[in-house]
């Protein structure tokens, strides 16, 4: 039986133009790979990056890692060719940059079907423009549109800072309303959401703090730019032993015959409701999926 919960704790970007990185990714303990054709690739290297990504994805070897190709915007000189190449290579998902509205995703989904793309090919959306922040709920609702197959938001905090002129300062106070709006929009649409990148990848303490903040906010994971960020990211976004034990305990309590007609019970001096047991089931599911990967 396949695991019902898919951990997306870490998603590592790598430029498609960097063949060494595409190869190295096969040995990294990371949940998702974001093979980039967009901002990490210079205009003169777009064609090389596209052919390297097609070759890498078609050849496989990435195991249980979720493989996602970030295309250039469909209205750029490279977007159409990127999408056609991605559909041919058939990764797990296509990541659409600078999504402003549901129409942007519907357009890409329509093109994927016209190209004969696999019905299993999902869309992910970069949330990184002022328009996207204003339309977050409507974009998130594409998670329930079976024609679009949106399954994840990715916060693009660098572009968001550029477009809004808000500062990416420690603690991210200025970003917080948008980040939390997108968390709510993702949950309403039934999809996952990944936090933005932390650019100062040599600053381990700063990165750990931002991971903890993202986990507190309800993010499912974080996007990364360097392999050295993976371990700390997994620490923040994996359920702890205590959380797993508590989840198992409260679920076991609710399964007891004497609690079958109760909505709220006391466990270890705390009030526990069935909603906590539901939350616990997700913790257990994610923990089991992580364990199953070995
Ligand atoms: C930031 C980097 C340019 C640093 O590269 P480099 O100086 O080569 O780093 P190291 O020497 O420390 O590398 C050590 C080894 O690790 C491999 N490596 C490095 N980065 C990656 C990676 N991302 N994926 C896989 N492997 C990686 C190196 O090849 C070395 O390997 P080896 O030689 O075998 O020892 C670089 O890390 C980098 O390019 N990072 C990704 C940048 C990127 O993709 N940016 C775009 C996404 S961010 C963004 O756009 C978010 C959003 O849209 C927004 O708006 O916010
Ligand atoms: Mg961006």
């Amino acid at each position: 039986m396949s695991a019902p919960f898919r951990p997306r704790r870490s998603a590592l970007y790598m430029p498609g133009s960097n063949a060494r990185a595409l190869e190295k990714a096969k040995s990294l303990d990371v949940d998702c790979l974001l093979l980039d054709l967009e901002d990490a690739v210079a205009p003169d290297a777009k064609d090389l990056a596209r052919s390297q990504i097609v070759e890498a994805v078609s050849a496989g070897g990435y195991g249980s890692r979720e493989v996602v190709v970030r295309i250039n915007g469909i209205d750029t000189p490279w977007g159409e060719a990127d999408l056609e190449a991605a559909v041919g290579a058939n990764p797990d998902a296509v990541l659409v940059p600078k999504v402003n509205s549901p129409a942007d995703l519907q357009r890409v989904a329509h093109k994927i079907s016209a190209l004969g793309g696999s019905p299993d090919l999902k869309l992910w959306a970069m949330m990184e423009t002022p328009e996207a922040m204003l339309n977050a709920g409507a974009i998130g609702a594409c998670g329930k549109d079976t024609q679009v197959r949106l399954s994840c938001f990715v916060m693009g905090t660098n572009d968001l800072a550029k477009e809004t002129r808000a500062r990416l300062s420690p603690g991210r106070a200025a970003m917080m309303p948008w980040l939390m709006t997108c968390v709510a929009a993702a949950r309403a649409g039934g999809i996952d959401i990944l936090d933005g990148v932390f650019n100062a990848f040599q600053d381990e303490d700063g990165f750990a703090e931002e991971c903890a903040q993202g986990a507190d906010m309800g993010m499912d994971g974080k996007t990364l730019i360097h392999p050295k960020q993976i371990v700390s990211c997994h620490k923040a976004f994996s359920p702890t032993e205590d959380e797993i034990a508590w989840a198992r305990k409260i679920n076991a309590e609710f399964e007891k015959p004497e609690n079958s007609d109760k909505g709220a019970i006391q466990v270890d001096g705390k009030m526990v409701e069935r909603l906590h047991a539901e939350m616990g089931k997700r913790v257990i599911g994610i923990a089991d999926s992580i364990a199953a990967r070995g």
Side-chain angles (χ1 to χ4, degrees):
M1 193 179 79
S2 64
F5 296 98
R6 177 150 211 170
R8 288 179 173 138
R9 299 165 296 173
S10 56
L12 176 64
Y13 282 104
M14 60 203 64
S17 49
N18 185 341
R20 194 170 172 78
L22 294 175
E23 189 55 33
K24 195 179 178 75
K26 295 176 183 167
S27 64
L28 297 172
D29 176 22
V30 64
D31 292 339
C32 314
L33 302 169
L34 305 179
L35 313 185
D36 196 19
L37 289 166
E38 203 221 11
D39 284 352
V41 179
D44 287 351
K46 296 283 188 194
D47 291 345
L48 169 73
R50 189 185 305 119
S51 61
Q52 288 189 167
I53 285 181
V54 166
E55 197 179 324
V57 175
S58 306
Y62 292 107
S64 63
R65 298 167 194 84
E66 198 166 13
V67 177
V68 180
V69 175
R70 182 165 78 167
I71 61 171
N72 285 281
I74 213 72
D75 290 324
T76 67
W78 313 283
E80 296 271 358
D82 289 352
L83 185 61
E84 189 172 347
V87 167
N90 197 28
D92 293 299
V94 168
L95 174 56
V96 184
K98 299 176 178 70
V99 170
N100 285 323
S101 69
D104 291 342
L105 292 175
Q106 286 153 359
R107 192 166 154 221
V108 173
H110 183 73
K111 283 179 187 291
I112 290 175
S113 344
L115 288 164
S118 160
D120 294 331
L121 181 60
K122 302 285 191 294
L123 283 189
W124 288 21
M126 290 297 312
M127 297 295 281
E128 54 184 353
T129 67
E131 290 85 347
M133 299 307 106
L134 298 174
N135 294 329
I139 300 171
C142 290
K144 297 196 168 155
D145 181 339
T146 53
Q147 304 296 310
V148 177
R149 299 193 292 272
L150 178 68
S151 66
C152 196
F153 273 173
V154 179
M155 296 310 303
T157 40
N158 281 331
D159 269 300
L160 204 46
K162 170 177 172 266
E163 297 300 324
T164 61
R165 299 182 206 147
R167 292 207 174 105
L168 264 177
S169 47
R172 300 191 293 179
M175 291 275 152
M176 207 49 71
W178 299 318
L179 293 169
M180 287 312 305
T181 295
C182 288
V183 169
R187 298 297 168 238
I191 63 171
D192 280 352
I193 176 166
L194 307 183
D195 203 353
V197 296
F198 186 78
N199 297 322
F201 65 90
Q202 305 289 6
D203 174 2
E204 292 176 16
D205 291 345
F207 177 66
E209 274 171 34
E210 199 170 284
C211 284
Q213 183 195 45
D216 282 349
M217 290 159 62
M219 298 282 176
D220 295 291
K222 191 163 177 70
T223 46
L224 313 177
I225 50 170
H226 194 280
K228 72 189 293 181
Q229 296 181 311
I230 298 170
V231 171
S232 182
C233 180
H234 282 188
K235 195 166 171 227
F237 288 99
S238 302
T240 64
E241 289 302 320
D242 284 352
E243 286 166 343
I244 299 165
W246 175 249
R248 291 195 197 286
K249 184 169 195 169
I250 61 178
N251 271 284
E253 287 296 326
F254 271 117
E255 276 161 23
K256 288 182 177 167
E258 63 266 33
N259 291 329
S260 65
D261 61 345
K262 292 185 186 144
I265 57 175
Q266 184 187 155
V267 182
D268 294 350
K270 295 187 193 113
M271 186 274 285
V272 179
E273 294 176 297
R274 286 186 183 271
L275 70 90
H276 297 111
E278 282 306 309
M279 289 163 71
K281 284 193 173 115
R282 183 168 190 283
V283 168
I284 294 164
I286 290 281
D288 288 349
S289 295
I290 294 168
R293 286 180 187 193

